[in-house]
């Protein structure tokens, strides 16, 4: 890598105040949609900052999108901390939330607090997100009591997708919809400042919204939620395939990136790159002296 940062992304320049938890609650009250997107590193954070989103999530989807794991399950706390710290360095304004990865919070409230504290103290996150599971409400209550804001996540919860029968919409039977409702209400009651609804029928989300007092961010849950979240790589097309039904593609960057690297490879092989514009000059006198020094 070049040590001269001439191609480094422009530093964030948007002059807005950092997004706060009360501001998100106010947006819900006013009916102003909340925009959330995932990011996993400095460049994606700079993009989110410059695009003016409200909340950035260092999702454990990064296990798949940037670390190449087959699911979100294997990603470690250390790996997530590295992604979160890099994302922090590219952000000033959006609220920064990081996913507590699978295995970092289930064992005890103490384990959850220790893991979440690392996101706040070492990576500079504002809050953590926890996926609904047997222990999530109790852990959320403990985290909130320890002073760490928590975002809940119900419906399709990829960390426990195996137990849910795979990556599929949840709440398509009355019983399962009722379980999702119980999870959402338990997390709300535990003090979560916001909750993600992932992959559920829109009418189920609509009914649930009547009981939600905290902001709800939807992903594949219809339009009644207080905001929406999409995975950075899905919305920008930095991946193979089309992804889940709810994904809307706003760009096809993978194709652009492949075309760019192919053009570079072609230029190198045909010696069109580097050209005179890409090389440094030296004073002829210095060059002569150098030749002499070389003997
Ligand atoms: O990890 C992630 O990207 C998420 C979002 C889909 C909400 O949890």
């Amino acid at each position: 890598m070049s040590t001269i940062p001439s191609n480094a992304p422009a530093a964030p320049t948007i002059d807005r105040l950092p997004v706060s938890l009360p501001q998100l609650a106010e947006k819900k009250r006013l009916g102003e949609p909340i925009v959330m997107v995932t990011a996993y590193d400095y460049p994606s954070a700079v993009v989110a900052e410059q695009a003016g989103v409200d909340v950035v999530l260092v999702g454990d989807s990064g296990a798949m999108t940037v670390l190449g794991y087959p699911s979100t399950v294997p990603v470690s706390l250390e790996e997530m901390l590295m992604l979160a710290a890099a994302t922090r360095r590219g952000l000033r304004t959006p609220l920064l939330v990081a996913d507590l990865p699978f295995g970092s919070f289930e064992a005890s409230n103490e384990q959850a607090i220790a893991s979440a504290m690392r996101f706040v103290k070492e990576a500079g996150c504002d809050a953590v997100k926890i996926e609904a599971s047997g222990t999530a409400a109790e852990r959320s209550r403990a985290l909130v009591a320890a002073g760490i804001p928590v975002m809940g996540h119900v419906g399709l919860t990829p960390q426990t997708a195996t137990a849910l029968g795979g990556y599929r919409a949840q709440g398509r039977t009355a019983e399962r919809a009722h379980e999702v409702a119980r999870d959402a209400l338990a997390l709300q009651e535990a003090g979560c400042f916001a909750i993600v609804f992932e992959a559920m029928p829109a009418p189920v989300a609509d009914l649930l919204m009547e009981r939600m007092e905290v902001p709800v961010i939807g992903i594949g849950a219809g339009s009644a939620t207080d905001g929406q979240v999409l995975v950075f790589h899905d919305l920008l097309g930095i991946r193979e395939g089309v992804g889940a039904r709810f994904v809307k593609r706003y760009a096809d960057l993978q194709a652009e990136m492949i075309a760019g690297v192919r053009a570079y490879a072609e230029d190198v092989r045909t010696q069109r790159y580097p050209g005179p514009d890409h090389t440094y000059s030296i004073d002829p006198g210095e060059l002569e002296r150098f030749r002499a020094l070389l003997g």
Side-chain angles (χ1 to χ4, degrees), residues 126-147:
D126 300 306
V128 295
K129 178 162 81 56
I130 194 164
E131 290 192 7
S133 63
T135 59
E138 187 193 333
R139 299 289 173 267
S140 300
R141 189 170 289 109
L143 290 169
V144 173

Side-chain angles (χ1 to χ4, degrees), residues 36 38 40 57-62 72 80 99 129 131 151 153 156 158 196 198 217 219 229-232 246:
M36 175 161 129
T38 67
Y40 315 100
L57 171 69
V58 183
D60 59 359
S61 51
T72 61
M80 285 296 296
D99 256 328
K129 178 162 81 56
E131 290 192 7
M151 176 180 273
H153 182 158
L156 174 58
V196 169
E198 178 165 356
I217 315 291
I219 173 163
V229 56
L230 275 179
V231 166
F232 190 85
F246 52 74

